[in-house]
Each structure stands twice: as structure tokens, then as C-alpha cells.
Amino acid sequence: MSSATGIIGQVRGRSVPSLSDEDRNLLLVLPGLFLFSAFMFFPMIYVVYLSMTGANAVNMFNPERPVPFVWFDNYLSLFFADEATQSLGTFVSMFLSDPLSVWDGQFWNSFLLTWLFLGISVVLKIGFSLSLAVVVTAKNVRGSRLMRAFLIMPMGLPGVFTISIWRGIFSSSRFGLFNQLLNFLGLGTVSWLGERWPAFLSYIVTEMWLAYPFMLIITASALQDVPEDIMDAAKVDGAGFFHRFRHVTIPAIKRPVLFATILTAAASFQQVLIPYIFNSGGPSRKNELILVYAYREAFDVSTPNYGLGSAISVTAILFIGMFMWLNVKKGRLADGVDTE
Amino acid sequence: MSFIGRIARSFADDARNVAGAPRRFAEDAAYTVQGLRDGTVSPKKVAWTIIATLGGILVVGAVLFPLYWIFTQSLSSSGGSIYAAGGFTWLPPKPTLQNYIWVVGDLIVKGYRISVSVPLTGLEVFFETPRIELLDASEHGVTNPSDFKKYMANSMFVAIPTVILAMCVIIPASYALSRRKFILRRKVLFMYVLLTQVGGGLGIAALVALYAIFVQVGIDNNKLALAVYYAGTAVPFNTWLLKTYMDGIPVSYEEAAIVDGAPPWRVAIEVILPLAKAGLGTVFIFTFLTGWTEFLVAQTLLSTDNYTLPVGLYTLIGEYTTPWARFSAFALMFAAPIMLLYLFTQRYIEGGLSFSGMEG
């Protein structure tokens, strides 16, 4: 008997990490962890619950009107067109007559537009900040350190400030800087925020300006670390500027740039403020990136629907989680944890 | 005091550096001209340097142009009109500070009458504090100044508790993560690092739930509750930042203190904290800015009376109704202090951003 408990104890001792005196130090971390979890993880669990209820502004805060639990109805009406979710038969017949007709236009518009925004903005962000980094690290440029300090300055600016300035730049009225420029060039004016694709373009330009300081820090320091001796050897071998860039610089900066790409892609995916401040994801809700769609569905529309808004949020959270996973697998974000 | 002294010294260095720049440039130019004459410097190289430098200046100017533009707008005399006066000009035709006066409004400390009754004698003594007029907006033709001061007070009410609470939980945690080994340490660190990048998006995605919770508990439209929320969201990034900073402090200092017989808590308070002052300053600024600049959550949870500065700025915008000059002045008053603060801490911020060994 006693030997059996001894063995169990041994097994336990091995499989369950035992608490030692040192582990009391965990207590120093717990307050922050608790505070953070209370406002991050708890709402995230709650939003999953809300996404399976019919909560809205009317019944949510009214004790007399219970909030119905509807399982996955919100997701069904989110992904599929309203007529298609009536019954399985109508769904199949609709799908057979026109495969596109069963999908919910607004959600898929928002979802695909988010990826389009991500793709275009990431490519442009990298191109833009890489060219800036080339300028501020070039040997021929005098005062490049000062230039770099100036260029990084907008990083300290609050997002609302930057975005509302760019809204002024793209403003449709007469003071709008971009329209003044177009007028000056004799090209006429564009109603930037009033039309779909011009508005989308203005989002991308603004996103580029918002993100470049961070990208510049990473790419400039990567460019400075390009091994000098290999560069010199390539020069001696008679490689031209583009050959050197292609075969020496790019392999040397690939890792940090990839890292920056993942981070900035995640930032693009989570962009809310630009569409929201520019024109609330308009015109007529065509340019709502996914988080803007979630926010507006829950707060901004005439009949706020918390359940549907939560369902959109949960979908977005899944993709944000994917970016976190990418960070671990491909980026080197978590490498620092292992260094002692 | 030595900390302030060190900042002053580094400022002096920077200033000397900047002041010496023209002289160095002149020496450089003289050397180049001399070299050109002697034939030791090739003209082609000089031409390249000049072209590249001018190109660089042009690029920097173009990229930062929006900031210059907003500055000229804030000085323009179109005032409350929603139309800018004509097209773009490099300097506004009639520069005026009126827009800033509109933002600041009256700065008047009212006169108070304080009466103190002297006991047993039945006498009363009156004091009258003087009325201090620093700025009377109406004298400058501004009749209806902005709510900047109200928004700023609200922002203070949010940002200060945020800083206090956040620092209270961040400092012990980052010390433990940097210096001690304990169960779950790596897991906590790992989670914090991951969340530094996606925390904002997750926060917005969960905003519906947060709102529902706040309303049900009855703490929506409560600035203190909002401050606690901000402190929570500031934990991962700032803990990581301070932890990395503490990692850079040599262990030998602590060992010396331990040999001298200091208990662990004294080592932490008297050795680590003083050495981590710069890191603490950076975290202080960051946590302060969390509360000072956040927009969407504040706009969702607070009602008009409690609006903070970013939300106040947003209320000024409307497609055809933005009084652009006034808006610019408001925006600059909001952002310029932050930008200056950022300039001073830039080195630390960049140091913190390079946490993932991107350098090598």
C-alpha cells in the first residue's frame, strides 16, 4: 500500500511540475496577467458566446426580454444569402442554378476587400519603405542620419491625428490638397471619399504613410547589416548596382523584411481607423474592412445587432490568430523569449 | 538628480552636434574643393554626392509634406470658414494665431472671495484672490472657443490612472521575468510577445463584448473604468519592453549587493530600479500615451461630456463642415507635444522595437 502511493507520488512528481520556492515569483507576474486577461480574454470568450445569441440593442440590457440563444444562426446569415438559409432544399436549388447566389454579398465583399487591401498595401508598404531605407543608408547621401531621424518622427503621432489629416488631404471640398494638386496639373478633381475605388486608393496611401516609420526602422537597420566584404567582392567582379542589389542585398535582408512583412500584414488586416474616419467604410458600406464591418454592425447601424457583429468579430479573431501562428512559425518575433 | 543631469548633458551633446554641423559642412566642402583642384577627388563622385543628397532632401520633404501643410493651414486666416482661402501657398498670406486662440479659449483664473471668521472675536477677515487674465479669447475676436480644455481634462483623468495602475503591475512583472526563474515564465513571455502585435485588433474585435460587459456592470461612460481597461491592454508590450531593458543591466551589480548582505527586495528596489530609470521613463510615456491617444474604445464607451481629446478631434470633422484652419490648430495642439516627447525617447523606442534579434 505504502509502496503504491510512493510510486504514484513519484509518477506525479515527474508529470506534474512541482512548485518550488522560486515559483513564488509568479506572484509578481500575476497581477498584470490578471488585469490583462480580464480585459482581453474574458471579452473574447464573451464575444464567442454573444455570436451565438440574438443579442441586440433592445434585448441586451433589458432584463424583461431574454436574449435568445440561436446557436449558429448568426454565422449562417453572415455567410449565406437570406433566401438560401430558409431550407436545405432551397439552398441546393439556388446553388445549382447559380453558385454565387447563395453567398451573403455584404460579408464576402468585406472579407475579400480586406484581403485585397492587405495584399496591395503590404506590397506598396514594403516597396515604399525599402526605397526610403535605401535613401537614408546610401553612402553618397550626406546627413542621412538626420534624414532618418526626421522620417521616423511620424511614428510618434497619434493615429487619429494622422488619419484625420489625410482625410483633409483627400477631402472632396476645395481645400483638399490632392484635388488642389490635380487641379494644378489640369486633371480636374476627384470625389475621393465619395466613390468606391478612389476611396480605397486613399486608404492604401494613408496606410502606407502610417506604417512606413516602423518598416523603415527595420529595413534600414537590415540594410546597414549587409556584409560589406561581399559587396566589395561583387564590385570587384564587376557586378552592376541592380545585380548587387539582387544577389547580395536581397538575400542579406530577407529575414528581417519577412519579419516586418508579417507584422505589417497583420496591421493591415486589423485596420479600422482609416476607413472609419475617412467615410465610415462608405460609400454605401462598400469599403468596410472586416473589423469596420463588425464595429458598424454592432454600433453604427440603425438597428444594432450585437449577435451578428460578434459573429463577424469571431471570424476576424480566427484570422488574427492565424497571423499570430505565422509570427511564431515564420517570423522571429518569439525568438527573444529563449535567450536568457 | 543625476538622471536629469544626464538628460541635460545628452541634450547639450546633441545641441553641440547640431550647432557644429554647418562648420563641419564648410570644412567638408573646403576639403572637397581643395581635392578637386589637386585632382585627388574625382568630380564625378562629387557630382553624385550632391545629386544624391539633394534627392534625399527632396524625398524627405515630400514624405513629410502633410505635416508642413497642416502647419500652414493652422496659421491661415480663414478661421471658422469651411473654405480655405484660395489654393495652396507655401506660407499663408496673412498668418495669424487666431485659430490657436480659438482652440485654447479663455485662460482666466477667476477671483475668489474667501472669508475667515476669527473665533471668539466675532470678526471676519476677507481675502480676495486676484483675477488673473492670461488670455481673453474675446479680445482677439474669438467668440465661441473650442472645448479643448474640457477634453484635455478628461484625457488627464483617463491617462493618469492608466499610468499609475499600469506601472504598478508592469514593474514587478518585468523584474521577475528578467531576473527570476519560475513556473510558466516562458509561456507568459511568449504570450506577451505575440500579443504586442495583434492586441489592438483583438481589442476592437472584442469591443462588442467589452461594451456589453461594461453596460451590464454599469461602468460604461466611466473614465476610471476606461483607464483600468487601457492599463490592461498596455501590459503585454510594456512588460516586454521593460523586461528587455532590465536584461541589459549587468548582474554583477546585484551580486555585489547580495554579497553585502542585502535582501532580494532591497536589491530590486535599490539596484535594479535606479538603473532602469530610462526604461521606466519610456514605459511611463507609452502607458500615458495609451490613454491619451486611443480613439475607438473611448468613443464607444464614453458619452459627450466625457470625451477625451482624440474623440474631441474626431467630432470636429465632417465632410463639408470642417472648419479646416481651426481643425488644424486643434490637431497640432493635440499632437505636437506627443511628437516632441517622442523625439526625446526615440532611441529607447527603437531599442525596444529591435527586440527580436532583428539586428543580426
Side-chain angles (χ1 to χ4, degrees), chain A residues 142 180 225 270 295 313 338, chain B residues 28 63 88 186 201 205 300 359:
Chain A
R142 291 298 155 93
Q180 284 185 36
D225 291 336
Q270 300 167 59
Y295 182 85
S313 287
D338 293 322
Chain B
D28 211 29
V63 170
F88 172 76
R186 282 198 60 228
T300 311
E359 256 104 73

Side-chain angles (χ1 to χ4, degrees), chain A:
Chain A
M1 196 59 193
S2 66
S3 70
T5 50
I7 290 165
I8 290 169
Q10 269 180 11
V11 172
R12 275 208 187 123
R14 214 168 291 153
S15 59
V16 181
S18 60
L19 293 174
S20 67
D21 274 0
E22 275 216 311
D23 292 332
R24 271 181 302 185
N25 290 309
L26 184 64
L27 292 178
L28 293 173
V29 181
L30 280 181
L33 202 61
F34 174 75
L35 187 66
F36 166 72
S37 310
F39 288 103
M40 187 63 83
F41 293 133
F42 181 54
M44 263 163 63
I45 294 165
Y46 195 57
V47 89
V48 174
Y49 165 74
L50 277 182
S51 74
M52 296 186 210
T53 67
N56 57 41
V58 179
N59 61 20
M60 184 83 219
F61 308 117
N62 187 350
E64 271 141 46
R65 301 184 63 169
V67 177
F69 193 79
V70 296
W71 291 104
F72 294 100
D73 278 9
N74 285 322
Y75 292 94
L76 278 179
S77 67
L78 182 64
F79 298 142
F80 303 108
D82 289 341
E83 308 86 62
T85 50
Q86 304 295 329
S87 72
L88 198 63
T90 46
F91 184 88
V92 171
S93 64
M94 273 178 80
F95 187 80
L96 289 177
S97 62
D98 179 9
L100 284 179
S101 69
V102 298
W103 308 103
D104 182 81
Q106 199 170 5
F107 171 78
W108 291 105
N109 172 51
S110 161
F111 184 75
L112 295 175
L113 194 84
T114 308
W115 286 103
L116 187 69
F117 177 75
L118 187 148
I120 298 176
S121 69
V122 163
V123 170
L124 289 178
K125 276 192 273 190
I126 292 170
F128 183 57
S129 37
L130 205 57
S131 9
L132 283 183
V134 168
V135 170
V136 299
T137 53
K139 287 208 187 66
N140 283 330
V141 178
R142 291 298 155 93
S144 54
R145 267 185 59 203
L146 195 67
M147 286 179 192
R148 185 161 168 252
F150 268 108
L151 280 178
I152 293 172
M153 229 163 48
M155 194 166 170
L157 294 172
V160 188
F161 171 82
T162 311
I163 294 167
S164 42
I165 285 179
W166 278 93
R167 188 183 192 278
I169 289 174
F170 285 112
S171 169
S172 312
S173 48
R174 266 173 52 211
F175 60 75
L177 192 62
F178 236 84
N179 272 348
Q180 284 185 36
L181 182 73
L182 289 181
N183 247 337
F184 178 73
L185 297 174
L187 295 173
T189 57
V190 177
S191 167
W192 287 100
L193 304 181
E195 287 168 42
R196 181 177 192 184
W197 295 111
F200 187 71
L201 182 68
S202 69
Y203 297 172
I204 287 176
V205 173
T206 311
E207 171 70 21
M208 250 165 74
W209 205 81
L210 266 182
Y212 89 81
F214 169 73
M215 302 280 288
L216 180 66
I217 291 174
I218 295 178
T219 45
S221 77
L223 277 179
Q224 271 163 349
D225 291 336
V226 173
E228 201 89 354
D229 43 345
I230 302 180
M231 205 54 144
D232 289 340
K235 257 185 217 170
V236 171
D237 288 347
F241 176 79
F242 286 103
H243 262 91
R244 291 204 301 271
F245 195 77
R246 169 76 188 78
H247 293 287
V248 181
T249 312
I250 287 185
I253 64 172
K254 215 166 76 188
R255 283 300 303 260
V257 170
L258 179 73
F259 168 80
T261 306
I262 296 172
L263 290 188
T264 204
S268 282
F269 188 84
Q270 300 167 59
Q271 186 53 258
V272 175
L273 283 184
I274 295 178
Y276 187 77
I277 291 179
F278 270 32
N279 51 15
S280 313
S284 46
R285 308 196 65 182
K286 280 194 191 115
N287 277 351
E288 287 176 355
L289 302 185
I290 191 153
L291 281 180
V292 183
Y293 182 34
Y295 182 85
R296 293 206 64 199
E297 205 57 55
F299 294 112
D300 259 14
V301 291
S302 52
T303 52
N305 187 340
Y306 298 149
L308 193 63
S310 303
I312 307 167
S313 287
V314 171
T315 317
I317 287 173
L318 289 181
F319 282 96
I320 293 172
M322 191 196 74
F323 279 110
M324 284 168 70
W325 179 83
L326 254 182
N327 265 332
V328 180
K329 289 289 161 198
K330 296 281 175 191
R332 297 167 67 186
L333 191 62
D335 284 7
V337 174
D338 293 322
T339 55
E340 283 300 318

